[in-house]
Amino acid sequence: CGGEPFAPVSGRVTLDGRPLAGADVAFRPAGRGPNAPAPVSHGRTGADGRFALTAAGEGRPGAVLGPHRVTVSLTAPPAGSPPD
């Protein structure tokens, strides 16, 4: 079928040993030039901190094979967190 080879990606995010709910997880392929872009894959953690990735714009589950830069971010602090 052509295209980039994909693999399923899932995992669990924790903070201080506890599941981190509502975090955005992004895998961005590393080492690619502007003429060789690859899709970024995203997921969001559930209450148990677990996520599964889907390729942005393609809807394919997982991520392209190879090294990635991984980011985890929150738009709001988790419930019960002390303010910074």
Side-chain angles (χ1 to χ4, degrees):
C1 291
E4 301 266 1
F6 268 65
V9 178
S10 61
R12 184 170 183 235
V13 178
T14 61
L15 179 64
D16 297 328
R18 299 194 332 230
L20 185 61
D24 292 314
V25 180
F27 278 49
R28 289 176 176 77
R32 301 271 185 133
N35 295 328
V40 175
S41 294
H42 297 274
R44 180 169 285 217
T45 60
D48 60 357
R50 295 194 181 281
F51 68 91
L53 297 181
T54 302
E58 295 190 14
R60 289 177 69 179
V64 296
L65 297 180
H68 289 77
R69 179 168 183 245
V70 178
T71 59
V72 177
S73 58
L74 283 173
T75 56
S81 294
D84 286 337

